[in-house]
Every structure is written in structure tokens, then in C-alpha cells.
Amino acid sequence: MNVFDKEMLSRLDREHVWHPFTQMKDLLAGEPLFIAGGKGCLLKDIDGNEYIDGTSSLWVNIHGHNVEEINEAIRKQLGQIAHSTSLGLANVPATLLAEKLVSIAPPGLARVFYSDDGSTAVEVALKMAFQYWRNVEGESTRRRKFVSLELGYHGDTLGAVSVGGIDLFHGIFGPLLFESLRAPAPYCYRCRFAQEPATCNRECVLSLRKIFAENEGEIIALILEPLVQGAAGFIVHPSGYLAEARRMCDEAGTLLIADEVATGFGRTGKMFACQHENVTPDLMCVAKGLTGGYLPLAATVTTESVFEAFLGDYSGNKTFFHGHSYTGNQLACVAALASLELFEKRNVLGELSQKIEYLRKGLERFWELAHVGDVRQCGFIGAVELVHDKKTRQPFPYEERTGAKVCRRARDKGALVRPLGDVVYFIPPYCIAEPQLQRLLDAAFESIREVTAARAT
Ligand SMILES: Cc1ncc(COP(=O)(O)O)c(C=O)c1O
């Protein structure tokens, strides 16, 4: 079979593949877009059309595609070994990567537990935190509750869904989940307390404080996405929220889990989002950009004191009985090492600060669009919230799928962006050049204008 026989591939895809987060009825009625190549921030379909990868292929290909240094690291490792288990055995790339991760993580994080993707990194953190208190306080511990944020997203496995707060994704699974106490998201544009940021009394912070006070001695951990809640539509937290959350955890003597799956590895302008507020969490989850988008790999990084709570005689039952088949996979670890080396070699964070500024200026223009209600930015993340009524902030009817229509239109203009509801966002690879970034923003701008103008108001 000619692998580029598009008609046959389309038929096979429609007959056999179930795409994630996708209403398949829609996909079955259309033609799937087949990506066949990529270089830098560009993706190429099987007909040779090029697109700017506006989402870093779902926030993972931070250095872009086909990165020679990462290709070479994987090729070299292939000549040695692709995989051996980490259960009871060590391997060179996993050990070196653990040391590297600890060296760039917020101070105090010292131990690396590998898994495969963001959801499993979170699953590990939740189970580790739960067992930590059992190991420290014994079976009679009263700590049985997690605290999480409304509109939070931590992945699709059941533990991660239990601490998730997006009803559209998580609501249906309610009967399968453990209970988590939800604090209001600091979503200033749609403030639950009908306040404005300039004059509010930080009611969201007070609510979180109240949850801590009412559940004294019963909280296992607070889990949150530091600085920005990605899947909720890139809700950017007010400055200081994270540090305040850390203080509350300290005062309550409980753990803080920072889910840096989306924010980690430079996306917010620093290596980790926690570093903007000098916060060291007790557990930090990383995945997505860890291997530069080459292979699935995740890590839950924790402190020596959490680690020590799991030490003991075998009969003491303190062992963390958790582990995945591909834990510490050599190919994934060398990809991650190569990706992290690139940060130094290419001065990625230094270069990024200029691009963040360029993005900031480029986003300003979106305010002039009649149906853009909010424009948000956190580092090299940009997001535009589309609304039916700019004054009242009334959203478009959900079933109109305005955000999806905008993204479909942008694709015809050579830009691949994805919506989160009616939020259109930009998370390009760091290697994107300014003219390409401009093309990405222009494609989105025009698409929003055209789609919202075409709609009867
Ligand atoms: C903050 C956060 N945590 C966890 C996840 C889950 O990661 P994965 O899709 O790799 O399981 C995501 C994915 O978008 C995320 O944004």
C-alpha cells in the first residue's frame, strides 16, 4: 500500500481510529487532516500543505519538530538499548535525567519518580500524598480530603478526574470519583464574587482559607496548576495567589502539589511556573514538554522528607506500590536530556523573553474585535476569550461552537490552533520566528473577525 494514498488512509482512519476529545460523528462526516511531516514550528500534511503549529502539538513540542539534537540522541541510544525495566534496576539516562531535573527544579525538590504522561504524574502525586500521611500519622490519620480548584484540569485518569473541576469533561464520571473539596478558581474575568481585580478583597483567597480552616487536620494536599489553569481556557491567576496558597498549606501543615504538566519547561518564561513566586511545592508533576514532544515521559518530583516517609522495613508496609511498564524508558530519557541541554545551548529562556514581549504586543490588537471579551497572557501563552456580548460578557451559545469554527477557518489560512470552548489559544514552539508568530496571530485575528461577522448577532 502506498502510505500516501490519501483516500485509503482516510477510509482506514474513519473505519478504525477513535480520536481523543473528539465527537467522532463530526470527524466521520469530514476528512481527517493527515500530518506527515514537521520541521521547526511548521507541520506538513500529506498533500504538502504547511501549517504553523500554534499549539506545539498539544503543548509538547517546545523546541518544534524534527530537532536534530534530539533526533541524534535517540538514534545514539537505539544502538545501546531502547528499554529495560526500572523495577529494581537502574539505567544510565534515567539516572542522569533525575539529577538534571532536580538541578533545575525549585530548591528542596530532590527525588524523581517517573511515569508516562501528565495524568499518571498526577495519579502518582495523589497516591504518594495519600500514603505519605498514612506512613507518617498511621492508619488512623484523619487526612482523607484533597483540595482542588474549580475549573482545574489534571488529566483523564480517575484520580486526576477526581480533583478536576471541568464539568463538561468530568461531570459524567462523578459516581466513580473520590470527593475533593473545590475552592473557587481565581478567574478574574468571570469572578464568582462579581468583583473587579482592582477593588476586590481577594474573596477567592478567603474561600480557600475557609476550606483550610473548616477541615483542619483532614487535608491531604492542595493540588493546583500554578499561575495558569490551562484546559479551563488559560485562566491566569492574579499575582501572589500561588505564594499565598503555599503559605496556607504551611500553616495547615499540609502538602502542596503543583501540576506543572502544562506550565513546566519554560512555557511561562521561567523553567517552572512555581519559580515566579519562589514557591517550592511538596510534589511537582511534569510531563508534556519534558521530552520536547518526542516520547511520552512524566515525573513526579518530591522532597527528601516525603521520600523518607516511605523508607522502612518491608514488613512496615511503607513501600510505594506503584509503577508503570515504561517507567524510566531510556529512549524517552535521552530525548528529555537532549531537550534540556537545548535550553542552555540555545539560550532558550533568554531568547524567549523577547518573543513573550512580541506576543504581548501582538495580542493587544485582539481587543478591537467586537466579540473578543478578554485577552490573556502568561509567558509564552496567549489566549483570547470570545463572547457574544462584550459588555455583559455573555458567552456564545455552547452548541454554536464558535471557537471551533474560528480554528477551522484558521487552518485554511495555514495556522493550526485549537479552541478550549470559545477560548482560542496560542502556545507555539519556542523556536518560532517573529514573522511566523505574526502570521499565526494574523490568521487567528482574521478568522475571529470573519466567523463572528458571519454570525447573526
Ligand atoms: C495541567 C495538566 N495536568 C495534567 C494533564 C494531563 O496530561 P496528559 O494528557 O499527558 O495525561 C494536562 C493535559 O493537558 C494538563 O494540562
Side-chain angles (χ1 to χ4, degrees):
M1 185 189 82
N2 173 5
V3 288
F4 293 112
D5 178 340
K6 195 169 130 189
E7 242 169 63
M8 179 180 278
L9 283 170
S10 290
R11 183 175 57 75
L12 292 178
D13 192 78
R14 281 198 298 263
E15 282 179 7
H16 300 298
V17 181
W18 190 341
H19 291 262
F21 272 96
T22 302
Q23 175 42 259
M24 288 302 293
K25 185 162 174 266
D26 295 345
L27 209 66
L28 293 178
E31 288 287 313
L33 177 69
F34 279 94
I35 298 300
K39 183 78 192 156
C41 69
L42 297 176
L43 290 169
K44 202 181 258 190
D45 70 18
I46 50 174
D47 296 320
N49 301 309
E50 282 190 336
Y51 308 86
I52 296 179
D53 185 355
T55 69
S56 297
S57 289
L58 217 58
W59 328 349
V60 299
N61 289 83
I62 53 178
H63 305 296
H65 301 273
N66 229 327
V67 181
E68 196 38 54
E69 290 87 341
I70 308 181
N71 293 353
E72 185 50 31
I74 293 173
R75 272 197 293 266
K76 221 168 123 198
Q77 181 60 37
L78 274 172
Q80 306 287 318
I81 186 170
H83 177 75
S84 59
T85 180
S86 288
L87 272 64
L89 298 178
N91 77 64
V92 177
T95 300
L96 294 179
L97 178 61
E99 190 274 333
K100 182 75 192 162
L101 283 173
V102 166
S103 75
I104 59 173
L109 293 176
R111 294 279 171 176
V112 176
F113 191 99
Y114 289 115
S115 58
D116 312 325
D117 50 40
S119 307
T120 50
V122 168
E123 218 61 42
V124 166
L126 297 173
K127 287 176 71 180
M128 219 177 238
F130 176 83
Q131 190 177 337
Y132 168 80
W133 289 114
R134 287 256 163 157
N135 289 0
V136 168
E137 295 185 347
E139 274 185 23
S140 61
T141 177
R142 292 193 302 123
R143 293 183 191 269
R144 291 177 179 276
K145 300 171 183 173
F146 285 95
V147 181
S148 55
L149 296 190
E150 287 172 358
L151 300 170
Y153 180 79
H154 301 285
D156 297 333
T157 50
L158 286 176
V161 169
S162 295
V163 290
I166 301 183
D167 201 44
L168 178 66
F169 305 161
H170 304 144
I172 190 170
F173 300 108
L176 299 179
L177 309 178
F178 57 77
E179 202 191 330
S180 169
L181 305 170
R182 296 255 147 58
Y187 186 3
C188 298
Y189 180 63
R190 296 193 180 282
C191 177
R192 262 247 258 129
F193 307 95
Q195 302 288 339
E196 289 298 327
T199 48
C200 80
N201 290 318
R202 296 168 51 91
E203 281 79 358
C204 51
V205 174
L206 298 178
S207 289
L208 182 57
R209 193 170 282 287
K210 191 159 169 252
I211 290 176
F212 273 98
E214 287 173 354
N215 296 277
E216 207 187 325
E218 296 179 14
I219 295 172
I220 297 167
L222 164 66
I223 179 166
L224 50 69
E225 297 157 82
L227 296 201
V228 54
Q229 289 179 237
F234 295 95
I235 298 173
V236 180
H237 293 175
S239 162
Y241 182 85
L242 176 63
E244 185 81 35
R246 171 74 271 184
R247 265 196 299 281
M248 278 186 230
C249 288
D250 288 343
E251 284 160 21
T254 195
L255 302 174
L256 174 65
I257 303 173
D259 177 353
E260 291 253 14
V261 168
T263 50
F265 306 107
R267 184 53 68 182
T268 64
K270 288 193 187 273
M271 191 54 96
F272 297 104
C274 284
Q275 291 163 335
H276 287 275
E277 301 200 0
N278 296 321
V279 162
T280 296
D282 300 285
L283 300 112
M284 183 174 88
C285 307
V286 295
K288 285 199 183 281
L290 172 56
T291 65
Y294 269 68
L295 287 157
L297 180 68
T300 306
V301 190
T302 191
T303 60
E304 200 61 22
S305 76
V306 167
F307 173 76
E308 279 171 2
F310 289 76
L311 300 179
D313 295 337
Y314 203 76
S315 57
N317 214 9
K318 290 188 168 181
T319 310
F320 188 48
F321 286 111
H322 187 112
H324 301 278
S325 308
Y326 284 92
T327 290
N329 173 270
Q330 282 95 326
L331 291 180
C333 289
V334 293
L337 280 165
S339 170
L340 292 173
E341 267 170 34
L342 279 181
F343 274 90
E344 285 150 40
K345 189 174 154 194
R346 293 188 182 172
N347 182 26
V348 168
L349 294 179
E351 299 273 318
L352 201 56
S353 59
Q354 273 175 38
K355 293 181 189 174
I356 289 171
E357 189 50 23
Y358 192 91
L359 177 63
R360 192 187 63 72
K361 290 201 184 107
L363 285 169
E364 270 168 19
R365 187 158 74 108
F366 284 81
W367 285 111
E368 52 185 77
L369 290 168
H371 291 278
V372 166
D374 197 22
V375 178
R376 301 190 274 271
Q377 186 184 8
C378 179
F380 210 39
I381 301 168
V384 173
E385 182 162 341
L386 309 177
V387 288
H388 172 65
D389 188 318
K390 207 163 171 150
K391 271 205 195 93
T392 62
R393 304 182 183 183
Q394 185 197 343
F396 283 115
Y398 164 72
E399 60 284 0
E400 283 189 16
R401 308 193 64 229
T402 308
K405 284 180 190 155
V406 167
C407 294
R408 183 62 189 82
R409 182 76 61 117
R411 178 169 135 185
D412 295 336
K413 299 181 192 296
L416 288 181
V417 281
R418 276 188 65 83
L420 282 160
D422 285 341
V423 176
V424 177
Y425 66 89
F426 315 103
I427 303 197
Y430 306 152
C431 64
I432 195 167
E434 286 178 3
Q436 291 168 318
L437 182 52
Q438 192 57 54
R439 261 174 50 211
L440 172 67
L441 295 173
D442 288 347
F445 185 92
E446 286 307 320
S447 302
I448 294 171
R449 209 175 45 77
E450 289 165 16
V451 168
T452 53
R455 180 186 182 279
T457 45

